[in-house]
């Protein structure tokens, strides 16, 4: 409110949200009480009742759904908050791990286990990360639901479980490596989104491609070769078999499966960015648009009529806020 919003306004980020649908009591009742996505049969019935054509009614429902979406300003402020947090926590993690003997020699993660002292810096690192992911977990239910809601929900559950489980079982050394590795790509992603909201398309594309490289290298390369290698093999060699080992590794492998899924989406978007010269629209976009949105007034079934029934005449503005591509909204 006091930092991100003034920055957004200074960068001329659009403050208004999507175009509001014109008031209509009948359509509003259907939208709130029956369905937000009317089928063909219901559309035809509404068309006869209102003397609107089907396309105009579809446009009204689309704009009414979009009306509940956050504005560009809101999304910029959210991205700026996340960028600030990720940059801070990643910097903190790097500074902490620079002094840690297990950064370059992962076998040090298991020396003296489980009697490893819990240092105050490590405790703080864990508590801040866990608090942040709990906040993401809860806010996901009040934010706009995206197409990958289930995947993100699974990710948050696995992440919170991993952080908590590794803290309780004192597997915190390898936990710090995992946390720092994951935060690296998130910093670049949020920067790319902020650049996009500021309409800096070239900078946004460059940052998104940088994010794609960092994400794939860190999560398909370093993560399995560095983290999974030490938890699957070095941990077993050092300490033998015990129940926590299997639970911990199962959660880490699930995380790797999610990495593969997101890498596929990122490579797909990066390919479109290279082939078309700009980052393509996110497949999970939370705003709907259509090629018929250039029409600004519901068309009556009578060619010369300009007045709608139910006293709802007036302009049905286009959602010009939607034009243009977008970078990936969430990883």
């Amino acid at each position: 409110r006091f930092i991100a919003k003034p920055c957004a306004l200074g960068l001329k980020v659009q403050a208004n949200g999507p175009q509001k649908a014109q008031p209509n009591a009948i359509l509003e009742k259907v939208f709130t009480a029956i369905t937000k996505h009317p089928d063909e049969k219901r559309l035809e019935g509404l068309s006869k009742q209102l003397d609107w054509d089907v396309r105009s009614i579809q446009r009204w429902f689309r704009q009414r759904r979009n009306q509940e979406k956050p504005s560009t300003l809101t999304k910029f402020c959210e991205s700026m908050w996340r960028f600030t947090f990720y940059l801070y926590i990643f910097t903190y993690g790097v500074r902490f791990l620079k002094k840690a003997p297990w950064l370059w020699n992962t076998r040090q993660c298991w020396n003296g286990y489980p009697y490893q002292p819990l240092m105050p810096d490590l405790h703080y690192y864990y508590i801040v990360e866990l608090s942040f992911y709990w906040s993401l977990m809860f806010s996901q239910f009040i934010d706009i639901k995206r197409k990958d809601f289930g995947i993100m929900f699974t990710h948050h559950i696995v992440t919170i479980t991993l952080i908590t489980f590794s803290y309780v079982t004192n597997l915190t050394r390898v936990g710090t490596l995992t946390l720092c590795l994951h935060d690296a790509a998130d910093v670049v992603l949020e920067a790319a989104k902020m650049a996009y909201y500021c309409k800096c398309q070239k900078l946004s594309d460059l940052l998104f491609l940088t994010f794609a490289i960092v994400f794939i290298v860190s999560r398909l390369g370093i993560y399995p070769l560095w983290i999974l290698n030490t938890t699957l093999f070095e941990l077993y060699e050092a300490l033998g078999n015990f129940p926590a080992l299997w639970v911990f590794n199962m959660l880490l492998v699930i995380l790797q499966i999610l990495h593969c899924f997101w890498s596929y989406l990122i490579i797909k978007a990066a390919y479109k960015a290279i082939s078309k010269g700009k980052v393509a629209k996110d497949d999970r976009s939370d705003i709907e648009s259509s090629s018929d949105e250039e029409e600004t007034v519901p068309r009556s079934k009578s060619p010369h009529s300009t007045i709608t029934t139910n006293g709802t005449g007036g302009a049905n503005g286009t959602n010009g806020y939607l034009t243009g591509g977008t970078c990936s909204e969430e990883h």
Side-chain angles (χ1 to χ4, degrees):
R1 181 179 301 174
F2 303 111
I3 300 174
K5 188 174 181 179
C7 289
L9 296 175
L11 293 168
K12 299 180 180 179
V13 174
Q14 190 170 350
N16 59 308
Q19 180 70 38
K20 292 186 177 182
Q22 68 176 30
N24 186 295
I26 295 175
L27 296 179
E28 185 68 26
K29 185 176 180 181
V30 173
F31 183 87
T32 55
I34 302 176
T35 178
K36 296 182 179 182
H37 298 270
D39 56 23
E40 197 171 323
K41 185 177 179 181
R42 192 176 298 278
L43 286 170
E44 290 176 358
L46 290 170
S47 176
K48 293 176 182 177
Q49 186 176 0
L50 295 174
D51 198 28
W52 289 12
D53 65 6
V54 171
R55 177 177 275 187
S56 297
I57 296 173
Q58 288 177 322
R59 187 186 313 111
W60 188 94
F61 273 93
R62 182 167 52 251
Q63 290 187 330
R64 182 64 181 83
R65 291 191 295 268
N66 288 340
Q67 189 175 311
E68 300 179 347
K69 313 301 187 199
S71 66
T72 306
L73 178 64
T74 301
K75 292 192 285 186
F76 178 91
C77 292
E78 181 186 25
S79 289
M80 188 169 181
W81 147 241
R82 293 192 182 193
F83 172 80
T84 304
F85 174 81
Y86 284 130
L87 182 62
Y88 163 73
I89 203 66
F90 176 68
T91 304
Y92 180 91
V94 170
R95 290 182 62 189
F96 170 75
L97 287 171
K98 272 198 313 183
K99 301 176 289 184
W102 60 86
L103 175 62
W104 303 112
N105 181 11
T106 53
R107 291 183 181 274
Q108 290 288 330
C109 291
W110 321 118
N111 284 353
Y113 181 84
Y115 306 105
Q116 296 171 343
L118 181 64
M119 296 173 285
D121 290 349
L122 191 152
H123 171 78
Y124 172 80
Y125 191 22
Y126 253 72
I127 293 302
V128 172
E129 287 274 19
L130 182 60
S131 302
F132 179 72
Y133 279 104
W134 268 117
S135 74
L136 292 184
M137 178 73 173
F138 288 124
S139 64
Q140 189 176 2
F141 292 97
I142 58 175
D143 289 341
I144 300 302
K145 287 190 178 181
R146 302 184 185 276
K147 294 178 183 178
D148 68 343
F149 175 84
I151 298 294
M152 287 304 298
F153 180 77
T154 304
H155 172 265
H156 295 330
I157 289 290
V158 172
T159 302
I160 290 169
T161 306
L162 260 173
I163 294 174
T164 306
F165 185 82
S166 62
Y167 185 87
V168 170
T169 56
N170 208 26
L171 293 166
T172 50
R173 291 187 177 183
V174 73
T176 57
L177 298 177
T178 307
L179 289 171
C180 189
L181 182 67
H182 281 72
D183 290 334
D186 295 333
V187 177
V188 188
L189 174 63
E190 297 304 330
K193 290 198 285 184
M194 286 194 296
Y196 172 73
Y197 298 142
C198 293
K199 300 187 184 299
C200 300
Q201 188 66 48
K202 290 185 178 179
L203 177 60
S204 175
D205 292 347
L206 177 62
L207 287 170
F208 177 76
L209 292 176
T210 303
F211 158 73
I213 294 169
V214 173
F215 186 95
I216 292 168
V217 169
S218 63
R219 304 199 188 187
L220 294 189
I222 299 175
Y223 178 79
L225 296 177
W226 193 35
I227 304 297
L228 291 182
N229 177 64
T230 191
T231 59
L232 288 170
F233 304 109
E234 293 177 354
L235 173 56
Y236 184 80
E237 290 174 8
L239 303 172
N241 190 13
F242 60 101
L245 180 149
W246 295 101
V247 177
F248 191 55
N249 279 316
M250 180 185 69
L251 292 169
L252 290 172
V253 169
I254 292 173
L255 204 58
Q256 180 61 18
I257 293 170
L258 294 175
H259 292 165
C260 294
F261 172 77
W262 279 314
S263 296
Y264 163 74
L265 296 180
I266 291 167
I267 291 169
K268 185 178 174 183
Y271 173 76
K272 289 180 181 178
I274 295 169
S275 61
K276 295 183 179 180
K278 64 178 181 179
V279 176
K281 185 175 180 180
D282 183 7
D283 290 335
R284 308 171 308 111
S285 177
D286 57 353
I287 296 290
E288 300 172 67
S289 61
S290 177
S291 59
D292 66 1
E293 286 184 343
E294 67 275 5
E295 302 172 38
T296 59
V297 181
R299 296 178 299 172
S300 172
K301 295 176 82 173
S302 303
H304 303 292
S305 173
T306 58
I307 301 174
T308 60
T309 60
N310 198 35
T312 55
N316 191 14
T318 61
N319 200 357
Y321 154 80
L322 303 173
T323 56
T326 181
C327 65
S328 178
E329 288 286 321
E330 292 288 348
H331 55 90

